[in-house]
Amino acid sequence: MLTGMQIAVLGGDARQLEIIRKLTELDAKLSLIGFEQLDHAFTGAAKEKMDELDFAAQDALILPVPGTSIEGQVETIFSSEKVILTKEMVEKTPSHCMIYSGISNAYLTGIAEQAKRQLVLLFERDDVAIYNSIPTVEGTIMMAIQHTDFTIHGSNVAVLGLGRVGVSVARSFHALGSKVRVGARKSEHLARIAEMALTPFHLDNLGSMVGDIDICINTIPHPVVTASIISKMPSHTLIIDLASKPGGTDFRYAEKRGIKALLAPGLPGIVAPKTAGQILANVLAQLIGDEYTERKGI
Ligand code: NAP
């Protein structure tokens, strides 16, 4: 239980509602900033304005998945209030106050460092990335169905990268009956791909592996699907690029060649915001609970 904890939830989308639900269930006291247009009330959570928040009383600040903009602005889809988090605000918090965010940028990292507060990035955690790969795969399957006129079953699929998303994508398309080949650069990844009963290939040989592919799913945040690679693909190939913006595909060249290439960021929040929120809520509850126990010496 988080009885006695005071936590401020600063902005966010539908995923934040699952976090609010979970933390209030655990008896934390919440201040909700940027939620005044939300039609729902949570027992134990009070909607407040940013300039009314008592920063000195907060044990934790929870930011939305993107953190802040480079100007410090926090995304608030349930509010028209402009919420900006400043170094001065963070400095007012008690020294044990933790800041939780999905990702960070130079601004957010900078104000946390200057105020000497610990910034915890949930999306850097393996557990969050692996759980998130589940809705990411479902979104990828949805896109493959929507943008092709052939079945996934029996199609030739190339997956690029064998990280947390690549493993889940490759395994799921294989389970749906695709003939999956996976490109990686590490010998242990190539061995794992073979162990998964998929076809491994080194990324250096990508050009010779795309001549007959129906779907190319990129998970590598690096320019790998270059114009030269795209020029070797059949014209009906669908490229789904899951890597973080700007993706790893030469979209300009794909368009020029008439190959459909889609950058598909943020699929968990789009196809399964409730599950995506629950993933974050469960991990946050665990982290905040551990921190609380440690601080109280329980
Ligand atoms: P990850 O576990 O770090 O995997 C990244 C993969 O890319 C690894 O196999 C890595 O191989 C490879 N890689 C990285 N840089 C490379 C390079 N220069 N050349 C060749 N291979 C390279 O990351 P992840 O969790 O799977 O996420 C993959 C991407 O998807 C990230 O950009 C992430 O932000 C994004 N993502 C998108 C969604 C969505 O909804 N679209 C959802 C979740 C994640 P090595 O081990 O050899 O470095």
Side-chain angles (χ1 to χ4, degrees):
M1 295 300 281
L2 300 174
T3 310
M5 281 285 271
Q6 173 66 52
I7 300 170
V9 180
L10 309 177
D13 55 25
R15 289 174 281 186
Q16 244 54 9
L17 305 184
E18 296 305 316
I19 294 172
I20 296 167
R21 198 184 320 279
K22 180 88 183 181
L23 296 180
T24 50
E25 273 168 18
L26 291 168
D27 205 25
K29 208 162 155 263
L30 264 53
S31 295
L32 309 183
I33 314 296
F35 288 90
E36 83 270 4
Q37 288 166 5
L38 180 68
D39 251 358
H40 189 87
F42 294 90
T43 312
K47 293 175 189 166
E48 294 176 35
K49 292 228 171 287
M50 190 68 158
D51 55 10
E52 293 165 359
L53 183 67
D54 181 5
F55 280 92
Q58 306 304 320
D59 296 303
L61 305 180
I62 299 179
L63 292 165
V65 166
T68 68
S69 73
I70 206 73
E71 291 86 29
Q73 188 164 351
V74 178
E75 195 178 79
T76 55
I77 69 153
F78 297 109
S79 167
S80 45
E81 185 189 352
K82 192 169 181 186
V83 174
I84 304 222
L85 184 68
T86 65
K87 174 175 75 99
E88 290 70 30
M89 291 169 180
V90 178
E91 275 171 345
K92 284 186 196 147
T93 62
S95 58
H96 68 262
C97 179
M98 310 282 279
I99 307 171
Y100 297 94
S101 177
I103 56 173
S104 188
N105 57 24
Y107 176 87
L108 180 57
T109 304
I111 61 170
E113 270 174 19
Q114 286 160 27
K116 299 194 173 56
R117 298 292 178 272
Q118 199 178 329
L119 175 64
V120 179
L121 301 180
L122 299 174
F123 274 31
E124 284 192 354
R125 293 176 56 90
D126 265 343
D127 50 4
V128 172
I130 292 169
Y131 286 128
N132 251 330
S133 73
I134 301 167
T136 304
V137 167
E138 292 193 11
T140 310
I141 293 168
M142 174 190 79
M143 295 189 77
I145 292 170
Q146 277 175 345
H147 293 279
T148 57
D149 56 4
F150 49 85
T151 57
I152 291 174
H153 184 278
S155 59
N156 288 326
V157 175
V159 177
L160 310 182
L162 194 76
R164 288 129 346 153
V165 174
V167 167
S168 304
V169 167
R171 187 185 287 132
S172 302
F173 276 77
H174 175 64
L176 286 171
S178 301
K179 287 167 265 174
V180 179
R181 64 196 74 167
V182 186
R185 60 181 174 178
K186 288 184 179 150
S187 63
E188 63 266 35
H189 283 174
L190 298 172
R192 177 61 66 196
I193 295 159
E195 178 275 327
M196 290 165 76
L198 309 176
T199 305
F201 67 90
H202 196 285
L203 282 166
D204 286 349
N205 302 324
L206 179 56
S208 61
M209 298 302 292
V210 297
D212 63 345
I213 56 165
D214 302 306
I215 304 175
C216 175
I217 303 168
N218 177 49
T219 74
I220 301 175
H222 187 77
V224 277
V225 189
T226 58
S228 145
I229 299 295
I230 295 169
S231 70
K232 298 182 176 80
M233 292 177 179
S235 58
H236 72 271
T237 302
L238 170 68
I239 301 171
I240 303 176
D241 199 330
L242 299 177
S244 50
K245 282 180 191 166
T249 303
D250 187 335
F251 290 98
R252 186 204 59 84
Y253 183 76
E255 189 178 1
K256 191 172 165 199
R257 248 215 79 193
I259 287 193
K260 198 182 274 185
L262 308 165
L263 183 63
L267 287 174
I270 295 168
V271 299
K274 193 175 178 71
T275 308
Q278 284 166 345
I279 291 166
L280 295 173
N282 290 338
V283 174
L284 262 176
Q286 181 71 47
L287 290 175
I288 293 174
D290 289 351
E291 207 276 321
Y292 180 68
T293 309
E294 199 176 304
R295 191 156 45 82
K296 296 274 174 197
I298 305 169

